[in-house]
Amino acid sequence: MDTAEHVLSKSYVSKTRVGVLAVSTMGMASLAITPSYAAIAKFFTLGNTSVQMLTSLPNLFMMLAGLLIGRLTATKIKLKTLTISAIILVVIGGFLPLAFHTSFAFLLFCSCLVGLGQGACTNLSQVLISQMLPEDLRQSTMGLSTTFTNIGGIVFIMGGGQLAATNTWINNYWIYIFSLVVLVVVLALVPLHPQAVTGDAENASGKIKLNKYVFYCAIWAFFTMLLNNVLNNNISLFVVQEKLGATSQAALTSTISLVGGMLCGFIVGGIGKRFKYSSIALSFILYGLSYLLVGFGHSLIMAFIGSFLVGAAMSIAMGQFPYLISIAVGQNSVSMALGVYVAIYSVGGVVSPFVINPLTTAVEKIGLNAFSVSGVLALLLGVICIAGKFQKNLVEHALE
């Protein structure tokens, strides 16, 4: 009897883990249209700033999704129901432009639907891990979730670009068929009535309570996103302006970042255990070194290496934060804590150019650029993170 139950439990865990990781692939769904920026700008006679709203505006809806999901998961609505609804939003927002694409305002509306669904999936994937999987698998699975997020990003961006190249930018939206595939996987593998995992009984009662460590994690994640978007916002222009390569090489540099994040995600769990008190500081130091390589390297190879390391740094940080939050609060508070975390860190991606660009302008006379400025800022944040013992204090609080 015990053996049968053990086998059943392993089967449940394996299926649930695959289903949850599939949800993580929706984490970059809003970036699918980026390969068609130039074509869309030409079609609607728009400037670069206007067409970039197709991916910047969804960030605001990711913030909304974070807070909304945090509230909804505290109700009696099943996690699987919320997850399916979130993926359906991505499907609808991705497919509608195939039928209606003569209004840029409508495309923005569709992007916002995708952003809302993407933000909900980002939050829910971590909630599903923390509530449906045993504690000994959570850290490694949260690390793997960053790998699957990057895999999804590669599928959406590269697949969308290939589809757009076949005929017109409108075909770019066919890549959202991938979100339909994810929907089927979630329907099949994520349980509607999850089994109780170790520790649920003693932590499931009581009011929702968020402590200071939730907000510390959210603030450090805010800086992570602020730094990470420096690559997304500047690398293409940098490669072309510095004459390091053509537009195709610039696009490849961005893709290499996703590969770095994907590969590093496989070992994030091990990194978290080895650097129990310093994995977040490690990610900032990695950001710093990678951006200094790009900023001062002045070669395409250095840009490739730096981009790869940026993806790795992102994977370490975003794989660790949800795990740290899950051990910092009671089981009943995890959903709301993750909602606050997603809402706050999303702002970092939105404000990144408004912080980095003025800093760069202020020091460009001494030969610094956006990457070298960001590298110095990242190293400074890494030192502050270590000196402040943020992660050490959080882990020790969780053990009490």
Side-chain angles (χ1 to χ4, degrees):
M1 179 72 111
D2 290 338
T3 306
E5 287 178 1
H6 178 68
V7 171
L8 180 64
S9 179
K10 280 184 67 176
S11 173
Y12 161 82
V13 169
S14 298
K15 287 170 58 179
T16 303
R17 206 177 187 202
V18 172
V20 169
L21 290 172
V23 178
S24 298
T25 61
M26 294 291 99
M28 294 189 185
S30 63
L31 298 180
I33 198 62
T34 53
S36 295
Y37 267 178
I40 294 173
K42 183 179 179 180
F43 185 85
F44 290 103
T45 320
L46 297 170
N48 289 342
T49 303
S50 296
V51 77
Q52 284 171 355
M53 288 177 66
L54 288 171
T55 48
S56 60
L57 200 57
N59 279 312
L60 298 177
F61 284 80
M62 284 182 65
M63 292 165 47
L64 175 62
L67 294 173
L68 191 62
I69 292 299
R71 285 289 181 187
L72 290 175
T73 50
T75 67
K76 293 183 178 180
I77 303 175
K78 301 291 185 185
L79 284 177
K80 181 171 184 175
T81 303
L82 288 173
T83 305
I84 290 169
S85 301
I87 298 171
I88 287 173
L89 281 175
V90 175
V91 172
I92 293 172
F95 278 1
L96 279 177
L98 291 168
F100 309 101
H101 42 257
T102 55
S103 166
F104 183 71
F106 184 73
L107 294 185
L108 281 177
F109 168 74
C110 292
S111 291
C112 291
L113 285 181
V114 172
L116 193 61
Q118 173 184 318
C121 286
T122 300
N123 187 312
L124 284 164
S125 65
Q126 307 302 331
V127 176
L128 291 167
I129 292 169
S130 64
Q131 295 196 11
M132 291 189 177
L133 295 177
E135 189 172 344
D136 62 337
L137 284 177
R138 288 174 195 168
Q139 188 172 24
S140 61
T141 307
M142 286 176 178
L144 277 175
S145 71
T146 65
T147 289
F148 278 78
T149 298
N150 283 285
I151 289 172
I154 291 170
V155 171
F156 277 118
I157 296 169
M158 294 188 69
Q162 289 298 312
L163 287 167
T166 60
N167 190 359
T168 173
W169 62 267
I170 299 166
N171 284 351
N172 198 147
Y173 284 98
W174 281 111
I175 195 59
Y176 284 100
I177 287 176
F178 177 65
S179 56
L180 271 180
V181 175
V182 173
L183 180 62
V184 172
V185 172
V186 171
L187 283 168
L189 299 181
V190 174
L192 183 62
H193 303 286
Q195 295 178 10
V197 296
T198 305
D200 280 355
E202 65 242 34
N203 292 319
S205 59
K207 293 181 179 179
I208 293 175
K209 185 178 180 181
L210 305 184
N211 56 39
K212 62 184 179 181
Y213 296 107
V214 172
F215 295 95
Y216 289 166
C217 284
I219 291 168
W220 283 113
F222 167 92
F223 286 118
T224 299
M225 289 302 296
L226 185 149
L227 288 169
N228 197 74
N229 269 27
V230 172
L231 186 81
N232 299 332
N233 294 335
N234 296 281
I235 193 63
S236 295
L237 288 172
F238 183 78
V239 168
V240 174
Q241 289 173 356
E242 295 291 315
K243 298 180 180 178
L244 305 181
T247 306
S248 57
Q249 279 82 27
L252 180 59
T253 310
S254 297
T255 305
I256 286 174
S257 173
L258 298 177
V259 175
M262 179 185 71
L263 295 178
C264 187
F266 288 113
I267 59 171
V268 164
I271 291 173
K273 290 174 183 176
R274 186 175 180 83
F275 298 92
K276 186 165 65 171
Y277 299 142
S278 57
S279 56
I280 302 303
L282 174 66
S283 71
F284 281 114
I285 292 169
L286 204 53
Y287 270 121
L289 295 176
S290 60
Y291 281 147
L292 291 177
L293 271 178
V294 176
F296 291 120
H298 295 295
S299 77
L300 190 61
I301 294 298
M302 289 296 104
F304 284 164
I305 295 172
S307 180
F308 183 90
L309 293 176
V310 166
M314 173 70 164
S315 190
I316 292 170
M318 305 315 280
Q320 284 292 289
F321 282 126
Y323 171 72
L324 292 172
I325 288 173
S326 74
I327 64 172
V329 297
Q331 189 71 23
N332 62 303
S333 301
V334 170
S335 299
M336 192 63 213
L338 287 170
V340 170
Y341 156 77
V342 170
I344 292 175
Y345 89 60
S346 299
V347 181
V350 177
V351 305
S352 179
F354 302 105
V355 174
I356 299 300
N357 291 350
L359 284 176
T360 304
T361 302
V363 297
E364 62 184 358
K365 290 182 180 179
I366 61 173
L368 297 181
N369 52 48
F371 291 104
S372 50
V373 167
S374 300
V376 172
L377 177 61
L379 291 177
L380 180 61
L381 287 169
V383 170
I384 294 171
C385 191
I386 292 173
K389 298 181 179 179
F390 140 72
Q391 194 169 345
K392 186 175 188 293
N393 292 335
L394 186 156
V395 173
E396 290 179 347
H397 161 79
L399 295 174
E400 292 176 359

